[in-house]
Amino acid sequence: MTRIAIVTGAARGIGAATAQRLAADGCAVAVLDLDAGSCAATVDAIADAGGRAIAVGADVADADAVARAVAQVDAELGGPTILVNNAGVIRDNLLFKMTEDDWDTVLSVHLRGAFLMSREVQKHQVEAGWGRIVNLSSTSALGNRGQANYAAAKAGMQGLTKTLAIELGRFGVTANAVAPGFIVTDMTRTTAERLGVGFEEFIEARAAEVPLQRAGTPEDIAAAVSFFCSEGAGFVSGQVLYVAGGPRG
Ligand code: NAP
């Protein structure tokens, strides 16, 4: 049977690779991002590979927009039973320079966004008696200089994941988290820019710290998400999988 999946923040980076991977796995995929127009490249890539996808525009931190987005997916593809909470932003700064807006924005997109999306999608999962939720955490959940807001959000994603696993397990729904290490995307390009380092140089320096001696790719993360979403992972729930080229956590 065709499962219906929603991947948030799927216009680019890890979300785009995950949407493409889930489509290749046989899911019909809602590619959700702030602006539906920005989802076109991901939707086209899925269609070109023979898959089925639609673009959905929504701010995951806006409850009304989330309700409209999930209703649109239900109407156009069917009830969503796979949810990947991937949308994210960074507003890095050392604590003494971090503004309230930096704090609120990051907590809002990651945590409030994952809460609102999960609350809306679980209705369809409970009705189906089957579901998968995968939340994007990060190695930054273990603490990272300049990321008090982001580290708090990503540690929060792990607590949210474990609680969703406990509450939704009786309905056949699993909830797990993937915690990436350094992955080459626009997000890490922004970090390099903030530090005034060239992106290639930044990648090389980060890769040298990784036991596998390379930076991660969006596809590395998509593969881990794909496992948690698979039929075979039905007894794996409440777990945090660090995908960082070496041991973490
Ligand atoms: P990215 O390239 O910056 O992509 C993030 C996507 O999320 C963008 O398309 C962005 O849209 C979208 N987005 C932002 N705010 C949103 C909102 N309120 N509603 C809907 N969509 C929104 O980031 P990435 O590197 O692929 O990261 C994806 C996830 O992995 C994030 O949760 C990130 O924290 C996590 N992660 C990344 C790394 C890494 O090294 N890259 C490591 C650990 C964890 P706009 O472009 O319009 O802003």
Side-chain angles (χ1 to χ4, degrees), residues 9 11-15 32-34 58-60 86-89 109-110 136-138 150 154 180-183 185-188:
R12 55 198 173 101
I14 292 168
L32 185 150
D33 212 290
L34 276 171
D59 176 351
V60 295
N86 166 84
V89 292
V109 175
H110 294 270
L136 267 290
S137 178
S138 166
Y150 185 79
K154 291 310 200 185
F182 181 84
I183 311 299
T185 69
D186 289 344
M187 185 177 274
T188 40

Side-chain angles (χ1 to χ4, degrees), residues 21-42:
R21 174 61 192 255
L22 293 182
D25 290 345
C27 297
V29 182
V31 176
L32 185 150
D33 212 290
L34 276 171
D35 166 28
S38 70
C39 300
T42 310

Side-chain angles (χ1 to χ4, degrees), residues 5 18 26 30 38 47 66 86 94 103 126 180:
T18 299
S38 70
V66 164
N86 166 84
L94 293 175
W103 177 270
V126 168

